[in-house]
Amino acid sequence: DGLWQARKYFLDFLKVSPDTDELLVNKNVFDFAYVGLIRAVFPEAKLVLVHRDPRDAALSMYFQDFQGVRFTNRLDDIVRFIQMYSKVLEHWQKILKIDMMTIDYQAL
């Protein structure tokens, strides 16, 4: 089955045994677009969303040198990205009923 193959490929890439109890953390900011796939491939996964004030996130992106991520050079592009991010997360939570633990970044 394709989902099993995707799971195996990902775990092989990370050099992790398929029956491990290890905690895997993926902090890639762009993985929000793949929440549905992540849920299909790893149905047991616990998803944690670290929520940050969009203004703080925008400024952080703007001043961070993301190699090869061109939209972070312009504030109007960052605003559009944050709007898209919010809509996609809302979609996953509404359509797939994905329960995500939300942590407030400012409280950390």
Side-chain angles (χ1 to χ4, degrees):
D1 146 88
L3 293 176
W4 183 86
Q5 288 178 332
R7 179 185 183 102
K8 182 177 178 339
Y9 175 82
F10 186 76
L11 293 174
D12 286 349
F13 176 77
L14 294 177
K15 297 177 177 45
V16 174
S17 168
D19 51 340
T20 186
D21 286 337
E22 283 185 61
L23 177 65
L24 301 175
V25 178
N26 185 348
K27 302 185 305 182
N28 187 323
V29 69
F30 299 107
D31 281 352
F32 72 94
Y34 305 107
V35 167
L37 178 61
I38 292 166
R39 176 55 85 205
V41 173
F42 296 99
E44 75 284 4
K46 306 292 186 229
L47 302 176
V48 178
L49 173 65
V50 179
H51 181 269
R52 188 172 189 184
D53 184 302
R55 296 167 295 189
D56 292 336
L59 285 175
S60 177
M61 283 187 244
Y62 184 75
F63 289 111
Q64 179 68 37
D65 183 20
F66 288 105
Q67 299 292 323
V69 182
R70 298 181 59 93
F71 78 86
T72 60
N73 296 339
R74 296 173 40 114
L75 286 174
D76 56 331
D77 289 341
I78 292 172
V79 168
R80 278 194 290 279
F81 174 81
I82 290 172
Q83 290 169 338
M84 177 193 62
Y85 170 87
S86 296
K87 287 179 184 177
V88 170
L89 280 181
E90 183 180 313
H91 165 79
W92 290 131
Q93 290 170 324
K94 187 165 77 173
I95 300 300
L96 297 178
K97 308 280 191 265
I98 291 177
D99 184 29
M100 292 186 217
M101 174 188 287
T102 303
I103 297 173
D104 182 26
Y105 180 87
Q106 282 77 4
L108 297 176

